[in-house]
């Protein structure tokens, strides 16, 4: 009887811990979706005044964002240097720094010179697709038919959301759209590098060391693109800089740490699912700033959520049903 009680207690404890871990993952995912979903409007407000007069150009916003974020994480990076055991790991941190942060920062701000913030958020949902493809092709990650089905459902929702939200775009050219697609491809590389090559490092250490590798390039870009001149002379520089600072500190440095925590708690697929939720947040913010929301958009959001649930928990539901 005593052995049975111990086993029953252990089983109950394991179930409780599993549920607690799942709940924590979802809460963090929703928080991250809110932060990153609002980052697109912050980019726009960092570039333009209310009258759509330019403050900082796309290159200046990108360099400012990366410099502020890498500076904020610099103390953590210096403390994390002792954690590096293998010199080859520097290559992985450089990959995460460049592919997960540096280049996408410039690609997204450039894209937003031609598309609305809401539409940029929708296009960002290509990330889970590239995460799956790169994980399968490069890192030999096994995918189940259920995961592929869930990703397919989510992708269908994304396409519907992009189609129904075309009115939010500003007559974008293909180069603006493709710059976001390229950025999401780079995100896919970064995600898989973190999951398959850097999991033995703490979340804060991964983020800090990745940003450490791009500190000097960000500093160089800050001066090369003439950002100090704008800060000194533009009458709305303080306004734009405030939005960029919020974007860098909360939407970049803080969010990247949070993102790596989610990867550690769950999986790259679950973590990248945040990009399915980002368009929802982007549309909600768009309505706050006067954009209309349609029934088609609401329907698309529902399809996206079904895809997330199916990709992450479909196998569990089927196993329970079969047992």
């Amino acid at each position: 009887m005593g052995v049975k009680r111990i086993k029953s207690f252990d089983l109950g404890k394991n179930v409780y811990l599993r549920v607690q871990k799942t709940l924590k993952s979802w809460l963090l995912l929703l928080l991250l979706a809110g932060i990153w979903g609002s980052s697109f409007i912050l980019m726009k407000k960092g570039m333009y005044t209310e009258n759509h007069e330019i403050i900082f150009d796309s290159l200046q916003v990108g360099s400012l964002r990366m410099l502020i974020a890498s500076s904020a994480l610099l103390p953590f990076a210096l403390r994390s240097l002792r954690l590096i055991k293998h010199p080859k790991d520097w290559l992985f941190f450089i990959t995460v720094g460049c592919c997960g942060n540096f280049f996408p920062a410039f690609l997204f701000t450039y894209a937003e010179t031609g598309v609305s913030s809401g539409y940029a958020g929708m296009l960002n949902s290509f990330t889970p697709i590239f995460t799956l493809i790169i994980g399968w092709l490069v890192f030999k990650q096994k995918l189940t038919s259920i995961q592929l089905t869930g990703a397919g459902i989510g992708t269908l929702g994304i396409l519907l959301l992009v189609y129904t939200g075309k009115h939010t775009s500003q007559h974008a050219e293909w180069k603006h759209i493709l710059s976001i697609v390229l950025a999401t491809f780079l995100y896919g590389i970064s995600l898989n590098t973190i999951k398959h090559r850097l999991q033995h490092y703490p979340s804060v250490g991964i983020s800090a060391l990745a940003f450490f590798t791009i500190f000097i390039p960000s500093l160089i870009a800050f001066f090369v693109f003439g950002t100090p001149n704008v800060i000194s002379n533009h009458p709305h520089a303080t306004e734009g800089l405030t939005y960029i600072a919020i974007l860098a500190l909360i939407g970049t440095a803080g969010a990247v740490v949070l993102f790596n925590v989610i990867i550690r708690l769950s999986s790259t697929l679950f973590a990248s699912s945040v990009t399915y939720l980002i368009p929802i947040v982007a549309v909600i913010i768009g309505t706050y700033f006067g954009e209309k929301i349609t029934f088609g958009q609401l329907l698309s959001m529902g399809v996206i959520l079904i895809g997330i649930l199916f990709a992450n928990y479909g196998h569990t539901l089927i196993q329970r049903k079969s047992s």
Side-chain angles (χ1 to χ4, degrees), residues 265-291:
L265 285 173
S266 53
S267 66
T268 51
L269 180 61
F270 180 81
S272 65
S273 293
V274 70
T275 53
Y276 289 138
L277 298 173
I278 286 173
I280 299 175
V281 177
V283 169
I284 292 173
I285 293 175
T287 58
Y288 177 80
F289 285 97
E291 295 177 354

Side-chain angles (χ1 to χ4, degrees), residues 19-37 203 250 254-267 270-275 277-278 281 313:
V19 171
Q20 189 180 47
K21 184 178 179 181
T22 301
L23 180 60
K24 184 178 180 180
S25 298
W26 271 102
L27 290 175
L28 292 177
L29 189 77
L30 292 173
L31 174 61
L32 185 61
I35 293 172
W36 270 342
S203 301
I250 299 176
V256 167
V257 173
L258 182 58
F259 187 71
N260 290 337
V261 170
I262 295 173
I263 291 178
R264 184 173 294 277
L265 285 173
S266 53
S267 66
F270 180 81
S272 65
S273 293
V274 70
T275 53
L277 298 173
I278 286 173
V281 177
Y313 299 106

Side-chain angles (χ1 to χ4, degrees), residues 274-317:
V274 70
T275 53
Y276 289 138
L277 298 173
I278 286 173
I280 299 175
V281 177
V283 169
I284 292 173
I285 293 175
T287 58
Y288 177 80
F289 285 97
E291 295 177 354
K292 294 182 179 179
I293 186 169
T294 65
F295 174 76
Q297 288 174 316
L298 292 173
L299 180 63
S300 303
M301 293 177 194
V303 174
I304 291 170
L305 290 174
I306 291 172
I308 295 174
L309 291 170
F310 206 84
N312 288 283
Y313 299 106
H315 63 286
T316 303
L317 294 174

